[in-house]
């Protein structure tokens, strides 16, 4: 994957982002955040190589090495199976609800936004997916805009 400023910035700030999630909730928030990122990445109908690489690297950085490459592939395959089985829109709703229950919706949405920004910015389909997750998570649209702006700041 070519040099990517968003992922470079994520690498610098991963400890800060990781610290925002209480340790008791990290596993469940992480799983929902990964799926939010995956659903955002496939919003246009495909998961291209750049999106997959960005999502894989984001997972690696945010898990602080707890998830290794082969586990990342398994996580993404599980996300794909759930999206195929239930549909991406239904999964976005379920992921949003899971994030709401965890009390860490913003962290999950931030991962989705980071993946979108790492692959050329947030397009309409990605924005729609983030909005759907945010709505189910109880995150207001102005707060979602702030989260997307924060993710976009990684690209600055």
């Amino acid at each position: 994957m070519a040099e990517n400023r968003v992922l470079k910035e994520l690498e610098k700030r991963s400890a800060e982002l990781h610290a925002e999630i209480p340790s008791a909730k990290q596993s469940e928030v992480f799983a929902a955040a990964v799926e939010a990122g995956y659903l955002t990445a496939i919003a246009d109908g495909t998961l291209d190589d750049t999106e997959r690489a960005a999502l894989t690297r984001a997972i690696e950085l945010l898990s602080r090495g707890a998830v290794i490459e082969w586990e990342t592939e398994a996580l993404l395959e599980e996300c794909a199976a759930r999206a195929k089985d239930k549909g991406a829109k239904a999964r976005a709703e379920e992921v949003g609800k899971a994030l709401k229950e965890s009390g860490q919706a913003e962290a999950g949405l931030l991962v989705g936004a980071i993946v979108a920004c790492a692959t050329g910015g947030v397009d309409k389909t990605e924005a729609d997916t983030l909005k759907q997750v945010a709505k189910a998570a109880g995150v207001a649209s102005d707060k979602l805009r702030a989260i997307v702006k924060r993710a976009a700041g990684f690209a600055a």
Side-chain angles (χ1 to χ4, degrees):
M1 183 165 136
E3 186 73 31
N4 188 309
R5 291 188 322 189
V6 175
L7 293 175
K8 287 289 244 181
E9 189 64 21
L10 179 59
E11 188 170 349
K12 289 182 203 170
R13 294 161 71 179
S14 64
E16 165 195 335
L17 294 171
H18 199 268
E20 291 179 23
I21 304 169
S23 60
K25 302 243 181 205
Q26 283 180 354
S27 292
E28 71 184 80
V29 172
F30 187 74
V34 166
E35 193 158 2
Y38 176 82
L39 293 168
T40 302
I42 66 163
D44 64 359
T46 62
L47 179 66
D48 66 34
D49 290 342
T50 303
E51 290 168 324
R52 186 177 203 83
L55 188 52
T56 298
R57 185 66 178 139
I59 291 167
E60 180 183 300
L61 291 170
L62 292 173
S63 74
R64 300 177 87 187
V67 178
I68 56 178
E69 187 175 340
W70 67 268
E71 292 173 316
T72 299
E73 290 302 316
L75 282 172
L76 295 177
E77 288 172 16
E78 290 168 12
C79 291
R82 287 189 295 268
K84 184 178 179 182
D85 183 47
K86 294 187 175 187
K89 289 186 186 260
R91 284 305 303 156
E93 182 84 16
E94 290 175 15
V95 167
K97 288 177 182 176
L99 288 169
K100 183 177 185 175
E101 289 173 14
S102 75
Q104 299 295 314
E106 294 174 23
L109 289 164
L110 182 59
V111 172
I114 286 169
V115 170
C117 290
T119 58
V122 181
D123 70 22
K124 179 163 177 19
T125 58
E126 292 166 334
D128 289 345
T129 297
L130 289 170
K131 286 177 190 175
Q132 186 178 8
V133 173
K135 183 177 179 181
V139 174
S141 58
D142 60 330
K143 189 66 174 173
L144 177 60
R145 278 191 296 277
I147 291 167
V148 172
K149 184 176 180 178
R150 182 178 178 197
F154 282 48

